[in-house]
Amino acid sequence: MARFWPIAWMLFLATANLSAAPALKDPPPKEPAMFGEWLRVGHTEAGMSVAPDHEAHHQMFSPDGGWEYTYGGRQGSGGGKSFVINPRQSPATIDIHMGPVGRVPANWRGIYKVEGDTLTLCLVTGDRDRPKEFESTADKPTTIWVFRRVKGKD
């Protein structure tokens, strides 16, 4: 009986320490990839809402850095377009080129976010400062495009 109490006491302490240990945290959910095909559902230019096109506007981003777009099923100007993203920035950044990266400067620079099946791009053209937030006003003449992920037969 003399041995029972020290062993019972040690088991109690070991169990108490295990329950008091902090739980392992789940890793934060991974941001959904922007790769794939997207259909434009919103467009703001310098703070003004732009009426929807009569033709569907699609953008395709591939994991190898290729970028294409179509209007009404017709391919956008020329091939070889590209993009570069940096998802580690806050907010994540994107540069879109009308040719191969390194051969042409970025035509659009901006930020992006993916929330579920929605992709939002906030862009400027030329050498203007990259936007820091998803905002478009007369004073901050950015272009904001909102896209919905294309699934199946969209």
Side-chain angles (χ1 to χ4, degrees), residues 59-61 65-69 81-83 96-98 108:
Q59 301 237 350
M60 287 77 61
F61 296 94
W67 170 73
E68 295 297 329
Y69 67 94
K81 294 175 284 299
S82 58
F83 74 101
I96 298 175
H97 304 262
M98 292 301 286
W108 293 280

Side-chain angles (χ1 to χ4, degrees), residues 4 6 12 19 49 51 59-60 68 71-72 96 100 107 111 115 120 127 134-135 138 142 148:
F4 172 76
F12 171 75
S19 63
S49 181
Q59 301 237 350
M60 287 77 61
E68 295 297 329
Y71 283 104
I96 298 175
N107 292 76
I111 55 178
E115 298 171 310
T120 304
D127 60 353
F134 294 89
E135 153 178 58
T142 60
R148 178 178 44 86

Side-chain angles (χ1 to χ4, degrees), residues 19-81:
S19 63
L24 295 176
K25 291 183 180 181
D26 291 333
K30 190 173 182 180
E31 181 182 28
M34 71 177 289
F35 307 130
E37 184 174 356
W38 300 87
L39 172 66
R40 188 171 70 192
V41 295
H43 183 179
T44 303
E45 193 77 43
M48 303 290 291
S49 181
V50 177
D53 295 332
H54 296 291
E55 298 179 312
H57 172 185
H58 289 250
Q59 301 237 350
M60 287 77 61
F61 296 94
S62 64
D64 67 357
W67 170 73
E68 295 297 329
Y69 67 94
T70 62
Y71 283 104
R74 293 181 315 277
Q75 190 71 25
S77 62
K81 294 175 284 299

Side-chain angles (χ1 to χ4, degrees), residues 64-140:
D64 67 357
W67 170 73
E68 295 297 329
Y69 67 94
T70 62
Y71 283 104
R74 293 181 315 277
Q75 190 71 25
S77 62
K81 294 175 284 299
S82 58
F83 74 101
V84 176
I85 59 173
N86 185 346
R88 291 188 177 106
Q89 291 289 320
S90 182
T93 62
I94 184 167
D95 292 332
I96 298 175
H97 304 262
M98 292 301 286
V101 173
R103 291 193 181 172
V104 296
N107 292 76
W108 293 280
R109 293 179 311 111
I111 55 178
Y112 76 94
K113 63 182 173 181
V114 178
E115 298 171 310
D117 287 334
T118 301
L119 167 65
T120 304
L121 300 174
C122 183
L123 306 166
V124 296
T125 58
D127 60 353
R128 296 188 313 192
D129 291 339
R130 183 184 306 275
K132 294 180 180 17
E133 49 195 33
F134 294 89
E135 153 178 58
S136 181
T137 65
D139 294 338
K140 294 182 179 180

